[in-house]
Amino acid sequence: MSGTQLPFMEEGMARWPFGPPNAGIALDFTGSPLQLGEVRTLVRERWAGLPRLERQLVRGERRVRSGWSRRHRWEARTGHDPAAQVRDAGADTLRDAVDDWFHSPFPGDEPPWNLHLLRGPSAGESTLLFRMHHSLLDGRSLTTLLRALLDGCAPVDAGASTAGPGELRRTPVPGTQPGLLATGLAVPLPGKGERRMGYAVVRLPPDLLRTVRERSGATTNTVFLAAVSGVLRSCLLTSGAGADVDTGVDTGAGSAAGRVWLSVPVDQRPADRGDFLGNAFCNVRLPAPVDVSDPAARLRACAGLLTTVTRPPGRAEKLLEAAVTALPGPAQALARGRLFAPAYAPAACTYVHLRETGRTLAGRPLRRVTLIPMVPPDDTVTFALGGCGRGHTVSVCTNSGAEDADLLAESFRHELALLAETAPV
């Protein structure tokens, strides 16, 4: 069967070794409960003619001699009705969805995405969950689609949705990145309870993050990274693994081996290609200032970490991506042993924001945005910040212990409160 082979990033996610590479975004709406028929009608009207949503993932067969599986492919299902992907989950909640659907692969005979209508977290609320195979779409693609679904928003440009992100790369300023294979310090997580996927969501008080931003002049991303750094610092101190952490001294003397690294996705779309649907990001590693004891100083240390420069990819980068994509089996073995190790990046941070305020779906006001990230590598944690005009939530996902997600989510809220208390007035 012919088809389009997956590019570098998408092939890597198709082979995610820690569980199905499923991710999602949940939108909570107030007002009378949404009805399945009206959601399907809106999807059919507002997401029609988008080729990316028609793609079907064809999994690679194993080669007889080597045992490695072939690369995955995309097959087009032209004319597929996107409304057929809208499902009614009845009385299920978001928690039910995470516990069940995110452990289950998508069927092989349909596009790997669904829109699920769920029971809302409170009376008078309903939830829409967009669940996807991460090889199909990234976080920026999801916000593009969801904005187009909301009332009064412009539709996605079908032509622009297939125009790639271009050749240029957006990367942190030179000198801030460790070497590709360099590792740092692993952070022991609480490790409570049975070792399995854990997921928790905390609704942040609406004025808390805003207070930190307004008093300090910091961006939301800076506040987010500083709070996560505080959580990791607490884990190090609690475990006894960070003997010198509480001294306020950089124990690694600036070297990659002595740092704790955060993995952060950076969108690669130029300003004129915002409607591109697919995966157009790269993961970068940023230093978490876990050696800094003062919360306000940690906030200052995180300022500017995501300042980027735009440049063409280097020759070495092109050669590496070509080799990794051509040899996906050996590349997966390398990634499992090195690039997914806790010392490589013990925490991942992702932030998605629907920036419009007062938006509605079929007249129901949007109340909350909640992210559901992929199952993270063993003994690591993912923090996912979701925002809209009403405020923010933080989702925490880990497989280091059933109770870890709750403990780390509460620790994040505590660290954010400390930042609000210590930020200059």
Side-chain angles (χ1 to χ4, degrees):
M1 186 185 300
S2 62
T4 303
Q5 289 186 324
L6 272 63
F8 167 68
M9 182 65 76
E10 293 173 9
E11 181 67 30
M13 286 185 289
R15 295 170 176 268
W16 192 247
F18 305 102
N22 302 336
I25 295 185
L27 305 182
D28 294 335
F29 296 92
T30 58
S32 59
L34 290 163
Q35 301 300 309
L36 183 64
E38 62 183 336
V39 175
R40 284 179 170 165
T41 298
L42 293 175
V43 166
R44 185 175 290 117
E45 292 175 353
R46 299 175 183 181
W47 287 354
L50 298 177
R52 191 74 182 184
L53 297 185
E54 299 175 346
R55 289 190 174 186
Q56 178 179 325
L57 184 64
V58 179
R59 292 164 175 83
E61 308 87 1
R62 286 196 174 274
R63 292 185 172 96
V64 176
R65 291 185 179 180
S66 67
W68 299 114
S69 59
R70 299 179 186 275
R71 287 174 60 184
H72 294 67
R73 303 189 307 278
W74 291 120
E75 294 288 344
R77 295 189 61 183
T78 306
H80 179 73
D81 181 6
Q85 302 298 112
V86 182
R87 313 288 165 79
D88 187 355
D92 282 355
T93 64
L94 181 61
R95 172 65 65 181
D96 299 325
V98 173
D99 288 345
D100 296 335
W101 303 332
F102 284 87
H103 290 82
S104 305
F106 281 92
D109 57 350
E110 63 182 44
W113 67 273
N114 303 121
L115 190 63
H116 295 272
L117 182 58
L118 308 172
R119 178 162 54 89
S122 304
E125 295 184 348
S126 51
T127 297
L128 275 183
L129 169 64
F130 192 111
R131 172 183 178 244
M132 65 176 187
H133 191 289
H134 210 324
S135 288
L136 183 71
L137 301 166
D138 59 12
R140 174 70 181 274
S141 298
L142 281 183
T143 57
T144 297
L145 284 169
L146 293 172
R147 286 191 185 104
L149 187 63
L150 297 175
D151 301 334
C153 294
V156 180
D157 186 306
S161 73
T162 61
E167 294 298 321
L168 298 179
R169 303 277 179 92
R170 187 178 295 113
T171 60
V173 294
T176 60
Q177 286 290 284
L180 177 64
L181 298 179
T183 57
L185 296 177
V187 176
L189 301 180
K192 302 291 186 180
E194 179 187 357
R195 289 186 61 86
R196 61 180 178 84
M197 176 186 172
Y199 176 74
V201 177
V202 168
R203 303 178 191 176
L204 302 176
D207 59 338
L208 196 56
L209 201 150
R210 186 187 314 118
T211 297
V212 182
R213 286 200 315 257
E214 291 177 352
R215 289 182 178 179
S216 65
T219 66
T220 299
N221 264 319
T222 297
V223 177
F224 182 29
L225 296 178
V228 170
S229 297
V231 175
L232 299 182
R233 173 184 166 82
S234 297
C235 290
L236 285 167
L237 293 174
T238 301
S239 68
D244 297 321
V245 168
D246 58 353
T247 66
V249 177
D250 180 356
T251 58
S255 68
R259 307 302 297 269
V260 170
W261 296 100
L262 303 175
S263 177
V264 181
V266 174
D267 182 33
Q268 298 298 298
R269 293 165 178 80
D272 60 345
R273 300 200 183 186
D275 275 3
F276 171 70
L277 299 180
N279 282 279
F281 72 97
C282 69
N283 282 313
V284 301
R285 289 193 291 164
L286 305 175
V290 297
D291 54 305
V292 179
S293 58
D294 177 52
R298 280 200 300 274
L299 183 63
R300 291 192 296 271
C302 289
L305 287 182
L306 275 174
T307 301
T308 59
V309 295
T310 303
R311 59 169 179 79
R315 178 181 175 84
E317 290 173 300
K318 290 183 177 180
L319 289 174
L320 176 64
E321 289 190 9
V324 169
T325 306
L327 301 170
Q332 182 185 23
L334 170 66
R336 182 67 184 258
R338 186 79 174 184
L339 304 184
F340 294 141
Y344 192 80
C349 303
T350 185
Y351 172 43
V352 172
H353 192 196
L354 285 176
R355 300 185 183 282
E356 292 86 351
T357 59
R359 292 297 183 183
T360 60
L361 179 67
R364 282 80 159 185
L366 174 64
R367 179 179 179 84
R368 192 176 301 111
V369 173
T370 302
L371 307 188
I372 305 95
M374 291 196 304
V375 177
D378 294 339
D379 299 312
T380 71
V381 57
T382 296
F383 294 88
L385 186 66
C388 65
R390 295 285 192 93
H392 293 79
T393 65
V394 65
S395 305
V396 175
C397 189
T398 181
N399 54 27
S400 66
E403 299 177 26
D404 276 15
D406 288 328
L407 293 171
L408 294 167
E410 288 300 328
S411 181
F412 180 92
R413 179 158 52 184
H414 173 72
E415 292 296 331
L416 190 59
L418 287 179
L419 290 173
E421 292 174 5
T422 58
V425 180

